[in-house]
Amino acid sequence: MSPLSAALSRREFLARGAGFAAGANLAAREKESAKDDGRKALVAITLDLEMSRNFPTWETTRWDYEKGNLNAETKKYAVEAARRVKAHGGRLHFFAVGQVFEQANVDWFREIVQAGHPVGNHTYDHVNVKATRPGEIQYRFNRAPWLIEGKKPHEVIHENIRLCSAALKTRVGIDPAGFRTPGGFADGLADRPDVRKMLQDLGFSWVSSKYPAHPNTKEGREPDAKVLDGIVQAQRQAQPFVYPGGLIEIPMSPISDIAAFRTGRWKLEWFLKSLRLALEWVLDNGAVFDFLGHPSCLYVMDPEFKAIELICAMTRKAGDRAALVELRAVAERTRVTSS
């Protein structure tokens, strides 16, 4: 073995060891969190590691075909966001598309893992897990149909999920911490018991797939009281539950950065106001809040991390009424309280 290969092997070994140790510590903390009486608000900050169309410029659409080709700004934002959340006493929960691990250097990703932040499976190519026709699966396969030729949609989806887990294990030495569907569905996976079973067969005990319907504005219009109240009320539909069959659902909490900055073309101040109002309801009701963000969007729209700092500050100010957690802690409490 060459000196370079030996060095690389040692780095891989150390990274995996750190990842496993971090996972053990996280599991212990999750069990401890599940011992609370169920009235404490659980607040999670989750970031999807993928590129987003329309960012950094509105004309940018190529990311639809290369979701995991993260640029330097996105990676830098992810690392700094993780550092900030940890400084507040929490852990940031990431979800990564497997394409990320085709990049030559993933040292930034290892830094996140070694700091104890969990990473979940977001499929390999950012596929639509509810697709029933080849043309619905992913833009990439429409451009290059030979990649899935002769395969049924469910076979493509199953393999895409499996490949992401394999990429995480091979490149970083960790197993995925949960699964998040690309895109959110207003009804989650309630209408797809076959997909729920697929996920369980692949080893997942919980999923984040539901994104409740909520009002938004016309492009560039400031949200009025009716829209803001609708977003607050949508938090009731964003609470975790258990599907028939045992799979736990942890919904994403409105409003996401993409819904605000792409769909509504909001200003940052409007987004922060909606977050504050939604989180106030969650804290007052001892509920769950699962902030959904994308570093590829946020580095453009919120370069000073104001959204993440707001969530951390409000959670800390709530004292014993709230805790900044990973989604695994939410899944554990849901399991305990539903049994």
Side-chain angles (χ1 to χ4, degrees), residues 62-253:
R62 67 187 180 93
W63 305 127
D64 289 343
Y65 303 91
E66 44 184 306
K67 297 291 289 185
N69 189 18
L70 304 188
N71 60 16
E73 294 86 354
T74 295
K75 291 181 278 191
K76 182 179 179 180
Y77 197 97
V79 171
E80 176 60 15
R83 186 197 68 77
R84 286 172 180 257
V85 172
K86 186 172 183 179
H88 284 283
R91 295 291 187 276
L92 207 161
H93 206 127
F94 291 94
F95 290 91
V97 293
Q99 284 183 0
V100 168
F101 303 103
E102 293 184 18
Q103 294 192 312
N105 189 312
V106 291
D107 288 345
W108 66 276
F109 197 98
R110 292 194 183 97
E111 181 179 341
I112 286 172
V113 171
Q114 291 168 4
H117 303 282
V119 183
N121 184 316
H122 200 41
T123 78
Y124 196 87
D125 292 289
H126 202 261
V127 299
N128 172 13
V129 302
K130 287 191 174 185
T132 57
R133 297 191 298 271
E136 299 173 339
I137 300 174
Q138 219 281 338
Y139 293 100
R140 182 185 182 201
F141 300 137
N142 289 341
R143 175 183 284 178
W146 56 86
L147 292 173
I148 59 172
E149 186 175 4
K151 297 179 181 179
K152 297 179 180 178
H154 75 271
E155 293 173 331
V156 176
I157 294 164
H158 182 284
E159 180 66 359
N160 220 263
I161 297 170
R162 187 197 69 80
L163 281 174
C164 184
S165 293
L168 274 166
K169 188 75 169 180
T170 303
R171 200 75 197 275
V172 198
I174 62 172
D175 292 315
F179 180 80
R180 169 166 285 165
T181 60
F185 308 104
D187 57 355
L189 298 179
D191 60 336
R192 294 297 300 271
D194 58 322
V195 176
R196 301 199 307 263
K197 184 177 186 304
M198 176 193 295
L199 291 173
Q200 290 177 301
D201 290 345
L202 285 164
F204 296 101
S205 61
W206 61 268
V207 63
S208 180
S209 72
K210 182 175 180 179
Y211 182 74
H214 63 83
N216 205 331
T217 66
K218 293 183 178 179
E219 291 187 2
R221 188 78 58 83
E222 181 175 1
D224 58 19
K226 184 177 180 179
V227 170
L228 292 172
D229 183 62
I231 291 171
V232 170
Q233 294 307 314
Q235 306 310 313
R236 299 178 187 275
Q237 304 303 316
Q239 300 308 302
F241 60 91
V242 182
Y243 289 111
L247 185 68
I248 295 170
E249 171 68 64
I250 307 176
M252 296 159 267
S253 302

Side-chain angles (χ1 to χ4, degrees), residues 217 220-224 228 231 255 257 260-261 264-278 298 300-307 310 314:
T217 66
R221 188 78 58 83
E222 181 175 1
D224 58 19
L228 292 172
I231 291 171
I255 183 171
D257 56 348
F261 297 127
R265 303 290 292 271
W266 286 11
K267 294 181 180 179
L268 177 58
E269 62 192 84
W270 305 342
F271 182 55
L272 296 177
K273 183 177 181 179
S274 71
L275 283 181
R276 178 176 56 78
L277 293 172
L298 291 172
V300 180
M301 304 306 300
D302 184 15
E304 297 179 348
F305 301 86
K306 290 184 178 180
L310 172 65
M314 289 184 66

Side-chain angles (χ1 to χ4, degrees), residues 40-41 43 88-89 276 279-280 283-284 308-324:
K40 177 181 289 188
V43 179
H88 284 283
R276 178 176 56 78
L279 194 49
E280 284 176 352
L283 296 173
D284 288 343
I308 287 175
E309 290 291 345
L310 172 65
I311 296 169
C312 290
M314 289 184 66
T315 305
R316 185 178 67 250
K317 187 176 180 180
D320 293 339
R321 295 190 300 122
L324 194 60

